[in-house]
Amino acid sequence: MLEPLISSERLQIRIDELAKEIQRDYGDRVILLVSILKGSVYFLTDLSLRLGPAVELDFMAVSSYHGEDQSTGIVQILKDLDTNIEGRDVLIVEDIVDTGLTLNHLRELLAVRRPASLKIACLLSKRAAKAIQTSVDYVGFEIPDAFVVGYGLDYGERFRNLPDISILRHV
Ligand code: IMP
Ligand code: MG
């Protein structure tokens, strides 16, 4: 059962604002957007379409959930970047911060590769999010501490393709 939380219209408006903020901050520097598969692909698409020509894309897959709805704390690289990020302006594009474990780990992992800069854009942040919340540079929406799906976010690989974000109610 799905309870609507953020409509596709609100998503687009907010992503437009984020893109403007990012463009202001980076000026004409080339941004390497690092999308964390698979949850961030819709966000990556809509964000990058608004960022103009000075953008490159790369993808990374990590696993921290193992199909359940709770973080295990173990982050495993399933697919690494194709790009050497040394000296690059890297912006990690992620779907959601819950405990912050995934992003914390990713940040450490990429920082040792010596990028010129390393920032994080995250579409959603759970209000209860603890460890990392303050270190996310661009946050789309603060949401309640509920399990959400749609616009890339899944439950057991389902619901990613829904245009709105909804709260998944277990019945
Ligand atoms: P964290 O490590 O606890 O911050 O979890 C972050 C990762 O867990 C995200 O990249 C998502 O893949 C997944 N996740 C956390 N909360 C949700 C949710 O409400 N819906 C879908 N996936 C979630
Ligand atoms: Mg994810």
Side-chain angles (χ1 to χ4, degrees), residues 7-82:
S7 68
S8 59
E9 290 77 13
R10 280 184 66 208
L11 287 169
Q12 293 308 316
I13 290 167
R14 182 66 184 128
I15 293 169
D16 206 56
E17 292 172 358
L18 288 177
K20 291 198 170 93
E21 202 181 324
I22 291 168
Q23 278 188 312
R24 264 201 309 276
D25 293 352
Y26 284 83
D28 51 16
R29 280 146 67 205
V30 178
I31 311 171
L32 176 63
L33 296 177
V34 167
S35 165
I36 310 306
L37 296 169
K38 306 171 193 166
S40 71
V41 294
Y42 294 83
F43 178 39
L44 170 83
T45 303
D46 285 333
L47 184 68
S48 60
L49 285 171
R50 292 172 162 96
L51 287 178
V55 162
E56 293 177 23
L57 310 179
D58 204 347
F59 297 87
M60 196 163 182
V62 299
S63 118
S64 56
Y65 254 63
H66 309 289
E68 295 301 321
D69 63 358
Q70 268 199 324
S71 193
T72 58
I74 301 160
V75 179
Q76 195 192 346
I77 297 188
L78 304 176
K79 183 222 171 291
D80 207 337
L81 298 172
D82 297 329

Side-chain angles (χ1 to χ4, degrees), residues 71 73 97-105 107-108 120 125-136:
S71 193
V97 205
D98 184 0
T99 63
L101 287 167
T102 305
L103 276 176
N104 256 336
H105 189 90
R107 184 201 293 278
E108 283 168 21
I120 298 176
S125 172
K126 293 195 183 172
R127 283 197 197 101
K130 306 109 203 159
I132 200 169
Q133 198 169 27
T134 51
S135 54
V136 176

